[in-house]
Amino acid sequence: MLQVLDAMVAEAGADRVGIKLSPEMNYNSITDAAPQETYAYLVDQLRGKGLAYLHVALFGAKFDYHAMLRPRFGGTYLIGSGLTQDSAEKLVADGKADAVVFGSAFLANPDLPERFRVGAALNAPDHKTYFSPPTAQGYIDYPTLATA
Ligand SMILES: Cc1cc2nc3c(=O)[nH]c(=O)nc-3n(C[C@H](O)[C@H](O)[C@H](O)COP(=O)(O)O)c2cc1C
């Protein structure tokens, strides 16, 4: 990972390279016997590279990785996963994150920022079309406020 990052930074410049980490995310049976040590070490190595951001997504981890990793990184810190407009705004207002990340809500709402701005209802994501063959369905066919 560190070698790949260095190659990307050499090619594009550190300010155009960010990294997302999902500690304890066990999708595809990924496990780590000592995740806290692993991620502390990794983020210590990231510090000083001048990366554009570190994005940490927690999917059910009990340990507070944000408290451990944000100070170690020392740069722009993004939090995402399971956020709502309210919880996201609170994270930023409380100074817990520099920016927030939306995945499924953005997939289902191509105009998500505008919907947040005007307080509009959100389209629900259709989980059946996740990871589906590369067709438009479920990726670029959700309606915007303008087309609904
Ligand atoms: C269809 C789909 C595919 C995704 N694929 C990946 C992936 O390959 N790697 C990854 O790190 N996260 C992946 N994610 C997770 C997102 O990058 C993001 O972390 C997550 O959706 C944020 O949580 P939220 O959907 O609750 O906002 C995927 C999410 C969706 C909805």
Side-chain angles (χ1 to χ4, degrees):
M1 182 191 289
L2 293 169
Q3 289 171 332
V4 170
L5 266 180
D6 286 344
M8 293 170 72
V9 166
E11 188 67 32
D15 61 335
R16 293 171 62 85
V17 177
I19 184 166
K20 176 193 182 188
L21 303 176
S22 307
E24 297 189 37
M25 203 267 305
N26 59 5
Y27 193 69
N28 282 339
S29 306
I30 300 168
T31 59
D32 184 332
Q36 294 167 29
E37 287 84 342
T38 300
Y39 286 96
Y41 169 80
L42 175 58
V43 173
D44 284 345
Q45 303 306 304
L46 299 179
R47 187 184 186 94
K49 286 189 187 294
L51 297 179
Y53 64 82
L54 168 63
H55 166 196
V56 175
L58 298 180
F59 300 91
K62 300 277 187 290
F63 180 73
D64 186 358
Y65 283 93
H66 298 310
M68 180 175 80
L69 298 180
R70 190 179 189 199
R72 286 189 122 90
F73 181 62
T76 302
Y77 192 82
L78 278 53
I79 292 180
S81 80
L83 298 180
T84 62
Q85 181 176 4
D86 286 348
S87 64
E89 286 177 346
K90 186 164 174 11
L91 278 174
V92 175
D94 291 348
K96 299 257 173 62
D98 297 302
V100 283
V101 178
F102 290 89
S104 42
F106 227 132
L107 185 64
N109 296 273
D111 54 352
L112 187 65
E114 177 64 6
R115 286 179 189 253
F116 283 165
R117 198 180 65 76
V118 302
L122 302 184
N123 301 318
D126 178 4
H127 296 231
K128 291 193 302 298
T129 57
Y130 285 7
F131 310 109
S132 56
T135 67
Q137 197 196 358
Y139 284 93
I140 58 169
D141 59 347
Y142 286 99
T144 64
L145 291 172
T147 59

